[in-house]
Amino acid sequence: MSRPKPEIPIEQRIWLDAPTAAALLGYGEDKFGEIREDPSFVMAGVEQRDGRFSQDLLRKWGNGEIGRK
């Protein structure tokens, strides 16, 4: 029996931890903790797993392509 296909597209499955994600956005970990709770960040689905962030979605959120108005 084959494994079920993952729900997350392959380009979104490069995972970053919180300190790395914060650094890529140019924020400190405390500020990034606040951003993680922001409804636009949550609705964008950037944090795919507890404490793991999709590099592709993080880039899109940082560039204002998703989630932010």
Side-chain angles (χ1 to χ4, degrees):
M1 190 161 88
S2 65
R3 296 171 58 193
K5 291 185 179 181
E7 298 175 20
I8 302 168
I10 187 73
E11 64 273 5
Q12 295 178 5
R13 286 192 266 153
I14 299 175
W15 305 113
L16 303 172
D17 60 6
T20 304
L24 286 176
L25 290 176
Y27 295 112
E29 290 184 52
D30 292 337
K31 178 64 176 173
F32 186 67
E34 295 173 20
I35 291 170
R36 286 174 68 181
E37 297 173 6
D38 185 89
S40 70
F41 191 84
V42 173
M43 294 302 293
V46 177
E47 188 169 359
Q48 295 280 325
R49 298 178 179 180
D50 188 37
R52 296 289 180 195
F53 302 86
S54 162
Q55 181 177 354
D56 184 53
L57 294 177
L58 188 69
R59 178 190 54 79
K60 288 180 180 178
W61 188 85
N63 289 335
E65 297 173 29
I66 60 172
R68 293 200 274 185
K69 294 182 180 181

